[in-house]
Amino acid sequence: MYNNRYDIEGCGNTDCNANLLYCPDFDNGYNQFKQILKQLVDEGRSATFYKFSDGEFLFLQGIENGGSTSAGCRDTNVGAKSLDLSPFREGVVKNDYFMVESYQGAHSYWKNTFGNKQFNIAAEWSYGLLANKWLFKTFKGQIGLIGAKEKLELIQELLEYKEYRDYLGIDKFEDYICIPQRYACDDIEATDAIIKEQLKNAKSKIFLEGIGHAKQALLWKMKEYHPAVYLTVGSGICAIAGVQDCIGRPYFADWKNYRIKGYDYSQIDIWKESGLEDVIYLNKKN
């Protein structure tokens, strides 16, 4: 059964690893993490928060398992084993904070990849702060998004609806930094240039980043292009776009996917459909 020592207020967790979590002093760490984020943003400081779990491990090892590391699946058209992975492996360790999921498998993957390098944050805290909307409430008017172009465009459409703005608790995001939705890892230098050009004119003090495995090479660079806090939220960008895998993603079981009737969702790369009974449909505007 799920161990409720790892509850986060305002969130439900039905992820397959929910009953395998182990994180000493989970609640105190969660509250300290919130304070770190708030202090960094309030003081106008820059930092990057990198997230690591099984997918990141497989990619860095060049293992293709039919998921996001495989040829033709979202991040790469050629597959991880055909890529030059050195920019990704070298990029990860240049980040400021390391967030690892709190089940033993993820800890083992981390040690296998990075040896005795310490990680300092439970990735679940980042998931929870988006899922319970603490990030939106705390940093309203200061938040930018970094993600796939099609999803960020969809988010902007959703924010035309007052019902959705009320659900998130914000009126808008300050910046939308877009990358290609598919195969961003295949020419990582080109993806880097796309991000750099957009960040030159950015205003946000904190960015929520969800660019898949491209982050492993590029996240650490972003604060050089625009001073801000860069927090990996992974599939949290999918949640904001209303296409989250609510059942399978940690701490998103209570999230409501808002969707627009008549919108062409065929252009959106949806990883997995779940929690469809919780979709709230908005009438398409004329």
Side-chain angles (χ1 to χ4, degrees):
M1 294 181 63
Y2 172 62
N3 190 330
N4 62 8
R5 287 182 300 168
Y6 305 117
D7 281 348
I8 294 177
E9 73 276 8
C11 302
N13 187 8
T14 54
D15 171 55
C16 63
N17 292 312
N19 62 343
L20 303 177
L21 301 185
Y22 178 72
C23 181
D25 216 12
F26 186 86
D27 288 338
N28 284 337
Y30 170 72
N31 289 320
Q32 289 172 14
F33 179 51
K34 291 194 289 186
Q35 291 305 310
I36 289 169
L37 289 174
K38 195 168 187 313
Q39 183 176 0
L40 287 169
V41 174
D42 288 349
E43 295 178 359
R45 294 162 61 191
S46 300
T48 57
F49 291 79
Y50 165 83
K51 189 274 293 184
F52 178 90
S53 190
D54 58 336
E56 286 76 15
F57 168 76
L58 293 170
F59 185 87
L60 292 173
Q61 298 296 323
I63 298 171
E64 299 181 20
N65 70 338
S68 61
T69 65
S70 298
C73 291
R74 182 176 285 187
D75 290 85
T76 170
N77 195 34
V78 299
K81 65 183 179 183
S82 298
L83 290 172
D84 174 10
L85 295 173
S86 56
F88 301 87
R89 294 169 178 151
E90 293 165 6
V92 168
V93 296
K94 295 178 181 179
N95 287 289
D96 299 302
Y97 294 88
F98 302 93
M99 308 186 297
V100 178
E101 291 191 353
S102 299
Y103 62 96
Q104 190 56 47
H107 292 185
S108 297
Y109 293 147
W110 176 267
K111 187 172 183 178
N112 181 286
T113 307
F114 300 109
N116 293 324
K117 187 172 185 60
Q118 295 296 305
F119 57 88
N120 34 28
I121 295 169
E124 289 81 4
W125 300 336
S126 172
Y127 305 152
L129 292 181
L130 194 152
N132 66 15
K133 310 182 196 75
W134 181 89
L135 288 167
F136 306 140
K137 177 181 178 181
T138 304
F139 302 118
K140 185 176 182 178
Q142 303 176 87
I143 307 171
L145 301 180
I146 307 177
K149 179 176 181 288
E150 289 81 353
K151 287 175 183 171
L152 299 194
E153 290 175 345
L154 173 54
I155 290 168
Q156 292 175 77
E157 290 274 350
L158 284 164
L159 286 169
E160 293 292 320
Y161 295 82
K162 183 178 184 301
E163 183 178 349
Y164 193 57
R165 296 196 299 271
D166 290 345
Y167 178 69
L168 294 186
I170 60 172
D171 294 326
K172 64 184 179 72
F173 295 102
E174 308 308 306
D175 297 291
Y176 296 89
I177 309 301
C178 302
I179 70 161
Q181 181 171 232
R182 296 175 69 82
Y183 313 145
C185 293
D186 288 352
D187 189 343
I188 201 65
E189 291 184 1
T191 304
D192 184 25
I194 290 169
I195 293 172
K196 181 179 180 179
E197 181 63 25
Q198 294 174 81
L199 282 175
K200 288 195 306 186
N201 300 313
K203 306 179 292 296
S204 302
K205 292 186 177 181
I206 180 170
F207 281 91
L208 310 182
E209 171 272 312
I211 61 170
H213 294 305
K215 73 174 181 292
Q216 308 204 71
L218 303 181
L219 180 64
W220 70 275
K221 296 183 177 185
M222 294 181 189
K223 66 180 184 180
E224 298 180 358
Y225 304 150
H226 171 74
V229 172
Y230 294 86
L231 176 66
T232 296
V233 296
S235 70
I237 297 295
C238 296
I240 303 170
V243 293
Q244 179 62 300
D245 171 15
C246 298
I247 303 303
R249 297 296 186 178
Y251 292 93
F252 278 96
D254 294 337
W255 182 266
K256 306 298 182 187
N257 279 324
Y258 277 75
R259 298 190 184 178
I260 302 169
K261 288 182 180 179
Y263 192 89
D264 182 10
Y265 281 88
S266 67
Q267 65 180 313
I268 306 298
D269 186 0
I270 301 176
W271 186 251
K272 185 178 180 181
E273 294 275 31
S274 73
L276 292 179
E277 67 276 8
D278 293 326
V279 173
I280 297 171
Y281 285 97
L282 303 165
N283 289 320
K284 189 173 178 64
K285 292 180 179 288
N286 294 325

